[in-house]
Amino acid sequence: MKRAVLILLSISLLGCFGYKELPVEYDYSYKGRFDKYKSYDFISSYALKDSDTSLIRSSIEQHMTFLGYKRKERKPDLLLNYAIYQDSLNLRGYDQPDITQWMQRKDRDLEYNQVKFGLTQGTLLIQVFDRKQNSSIWQGYATDEYQSLDFQSYQEVRNAVKSILNKYQFFADGFIEEQMKKAQENN
């Protein structure tokens, strides 16, 4: 068991070399069942060019696969969406406890403290929707440091997506147990 956890930690550390964590903000729904999801798919979006879509989408897919989520076209647990905002705008968000601290609470039904975030030109936003609830449960977005992000650069897009999705810290339901079982079978 310890070996499987050590292997997962080693893999995640190896992925960090050559990676610059970018500052991001995120907020989430208190109705999210973050420890119960196993599958995902993408919401179709036509606002982005194919080159932008392929770089962002493949980066998101790699991260979700790392977390143990399976891509499923029919009735996935989660629907993912992403957008690049070409103009500055204000986005409604929430001042909330860190999501891992919130998950450890017995009483997870808290009051929302609404705040507005000013997003600058070139901001990348990634949203996660619970398909059954038909609502957004998590969103992560860049701060003003994304102004100079080159969305044609593979490395910059990978860094941006990793920075955002590193705040979504939940392995797919049953994934850790599956990995430990595989590790025990290999011993």
Side-chain angles (χ1 to χ4, degrees):
M1 182 171 165
K2 288 181 183 177
R3 184 177 176 171
V5 172
L6 184 60
I7 290 170
L8 286 173
L9 286 174
S10 298
I11 291 170
S12 66
L13 286 176
L14 286 174
C16 294
F17 295 113
Y19 160 67
K20 179 187 173 199
E21 181 86 22
L22 299 174
V24 298
E25 297 287 341
Y26 71 92
D27 50 60
Y28 55 93
S29 169
Y30 295 138
K31 294 181 181 179
R33 303 170 308 147
F34 298 99
D35 53 351
K36 301 293 182 196
Y37 304 118
K38 294 181 180 187
S39 61
Y40 76 97
D41 201 4
F42 291 93
I43 296 173
S44 296
S45 177
Y46 299 102
L48 299 174
K49 295 181 281 187
D50 287 342
S51 59
D52 293 336
T53 299
S54 64
L55 283 172
I56 295 168
R57 186 176 288 236
S58 66
S59 297
I60 292 171
E61 285 177 334
Q62 288 173 2
H63 194 84
M64 296 302 284
T65 300
F66 170 75
L67 293 174
Y69 291 89
K70 305 282 188 225
R71 183 141 182 228
K72 183 177 167 186
E73 290 182 22
R74 295 192 50 104
K75 297 185 178 182
D77 299 324
L78 301 173
L79 293 169
L80 280 64
N81 188 39
Y82 50 91
I84 299 170
Y85 289 95
Q86 300 300 331
D87 295 318
S88 299
L89 70 140
N90 288 324
L91 181 71
R92 181 183 66 204
Y94 302 96
D95 181 23
Q96 299 173 293
D98 180 87
I99 197 166
T100 54
Q101 294 171 354
W102 171 78
M103 284 292 291
Q104 295 171 359
R105 294 176 59 109
K106 291 184 186 211
D107 176 23
R108 293 185 185 172
D109 192 21
L110 303 175
E111 291 290 322
Y112 289 101
N113 297 321
Q114 187 174 325
V115 295
K116 285 191 178 180
F117 292 101
L119 301 182
T120 59
Q121 181 180 7
T123 294
L124 175 63
L125 169 73
I126 300 175
Q127 295 174 293
V128 179
F129 296 86
D130 182 311
R131 185 188 56 79
K132 288 182 182 176
Q133 292 182 32
N134 197 28
S135 64
S136 175
I137 59 161
W138 188 91
Q139 63 184 8
Y141 37 91
T143 62
D144 59 356
E145 301 234 355
Y146 274 25
Q147 276 180 307
S148 61
L149 187 62
D150 177 6
F151 285 99
Q152 301 304 314
S153 166
Y154 176 80
Q155 188 62 42
E156 286 191 39
V157 170
R158 289 275 302 139
N159 281 345
V161 170
K162 280 177 99 175
S163 294
I164 292 170
L165 289 180
N166 277 346
K167 304 299 182 185
Y168 186 89
Q169 306 171 359
F170 302 102
F171 286 102
D173 186 21
F175 178 69
I176 298 293
E177 293 82 4
E178 181 183 309
Q179 295 305 307
M180 290 191 296
K181 183 178 178 182
K182 284 181 183 179
Q184 289 175 349
E185 290 172 358
N186 291 334
N187 285 336

